[in-house]
Amino acid sequence: AQTVTQSQPEMSVQEAETVTLSCTYDTSESNYYLFWYKQPPSRQMILVIRQEAYKQQNATENRFSVNFQKAAKSFSLKISDSQLGDTAMYFCAFMSLYNQGGKLIFGQGTELSVKP
Amino acid sequence: DARVTQTPRDKVTEMGQEVTMRCQPILGHNTVFWYRQTMMQGLELLAYFRNRAPLDDSGMPKDRFSAEMPDATLATLKIQPSEPRDSAVYFCASAIGRDLYNEQFFGPGTRLTVL
């Protein structure tokens, strides 16, 4: 069974600085999808960024980028120029391509605080 | 601005009572997911549907939980009878099409407290 591990329960960063959130996963599959979701205090889950495992190029979305290391099964999220609105729980998630419905398997989350 | 809606937002009930949570997926989305979030277990998938047909409900306790889609605009999750261990936030999410890479849009969740 696939598992997702986020080893940093909490992190903090000063506004305008850069922070990296770690995520590792375990799978025997070669093709899959990876996601980062953000959950602010409002508890709404919001997709931040996604990556297809067969694409070597790291995904980027404005201030958010990933470092995808397939061999190491690592998928870290980098947030540049951190803003107060980035304060939230961040969840890394795995999706198998051999699952017909699109089941997301989530890590335990990292609580990020951006300090002024 | 299309979004997934869930009702109620918060629910407090007593052990043994029936609880029904409702979800309206984004119009045109044909895949609906139910997730549960607790401090101990984190986020876990309970069940999901495509074109109103259940694809997988293996994450759901069968003896007390049931999920249905009476029509394309409504998904329901029922717990009968409810127990204190069911206290959690229940999320509904919807997605369009068969492409697994398509974004799952989450609702605001229903926070259930069973006393």
Side-chain angles (χ1 to χ4, degrees), chain B residues 7-21:
Chain B
T7 56
R9 184 162 175 83
D10 295 277
K11 174 74 175 179
V12 180
T13 191
E14 294 192 347
M15 182 173 63
Q17 296 297 304
E18 177 178 302
V19 176
T20 299
M21 290 169 272

Side-chain angles (χ1 to χ4, degrees), chain B residues 13-21 36 46 59-67 77-87 90 112 114:
Chain B
T13 191
E14 294 192 347
M15 182 173 63
Q17 296 297 304
E18 177 178 302
V19 176
T20 299
M21 290 169 272
R36 177 171 63 182
L46 295 176
M60 205 163 63
K62 300 293 192 304
D63 55 338
R64 299 182 299 106
F65 284 60
S66 62
L77 180 65
K78 290 186 181 181
I79 308 174
Q80 169 62 20
S82 57
E83 298 181 1
R85 59 180 168 151
D86 301 329
S87 297
Y90 291 82
L112 174 65
V114 183

Side-chain angles (χ1 to χ4, degrees), chain A residues 33 35 37 39 42-45 47 50-52 91 95-97 99-104 106 108, chain B residues 9-10 33 35 37 40-43 45 48 50 55 91 100-104 106-109 111:
Chain A
Y33 298 142
F35 303 81
Y37 275 86
Q39 186 179 39
S42 67
R43 81 178 185 225
Q44 179 80 47
M45 295 285 288
L47 178 66
R50 49 188 160 177
Q51 173 84 39
E52 300 170 72
F91 293 94
M95 181 189 289
S96 167
L97 284 182
N99 176 310
Q100 66 173 329
K103 174 181 177 179
L104 285 168
F106 289 92
Q108 288 296 101
Chain B
R9 184 162 175 83
D10 295 277
F33 306 82
Y35 292 91
Q37 184 178 30
M40 294 300 296
Q41 300 296 326
L43 274 157
L45 181 71
Y48 56 91
R50 174 162 293 139
L55 289 186
F91 288 100
L100 301 181
Y101 199 57
N102 288 336
E103 179 177 353
Q104 293 184 22
F106 282 73
R111 181 184 299 278

Side-chain angles (χ1 to χ4, degrees), chain A:
Chain A
Q2 293 95 353
T3 58
V4 178
T5 302
Q6 294 178 248
S7 58
Q8 306 150 314
E10 298 177 354
M11 291 192 72
S12 66
V13 64
Q14 292 295 129
E15 197 175 6
E17 293 189 347
T18 296
V19 63
T20 299
L21 279 57
S22 301
C23 171
T24 58
Y25 56 93
D26 187 25
T27 184
S28 59
E29 298 171 6
S30 58
N31 287 326
Y32 44 85
Y33 298 142
L34 295 164
F35 303 81
W36 277 98
Y37 275 86
K38 168 185 176 181
Q39 186 179 39
S42 67
R43 81 178 185 225
Q44 179 80 47
M45 295 285 288
I46 302 164
L47 178 66
V48 175
I49 198 166
R50 49 188 160 177
Q51 173 84 39
E52 300 170 72
Y54 59 87
K55 286 189 175 180
Q56 296 207 348
Q57 186 173 4
N58 289 324
T60 62
E61 287 287 343
N62 301 313
R63 298 183 295 108
F64 299 88
S65 61
V66 298
N67 183 6
F68 174 48
Q69 301 289 327
K70 191 172 183 180
K73 295 180 184 175
S74 171
F75 184 61
S76 60
L77 174 69
K78 185 171 84 171
I79 306 174
S80 303
D81 186 25
S82 298
Q83 301 176 359
L84 296 178
D86 296 333
T87 292
M89 282 287 287
Y90 287 81
F91 293 94
C92 179
F94 172 96
M95 181 189 289
S96 167
L97 284 182
Y98 303 102
N99 176 310
Q100 66 173 329
K103 174 181 177 179
L104 285 168
I105 299 172
F106 289 92
Q108 288 296 101
T110 296
E111 185 172 6
L112 176 67
S113 296
V114 180
K115 300 186 184 305

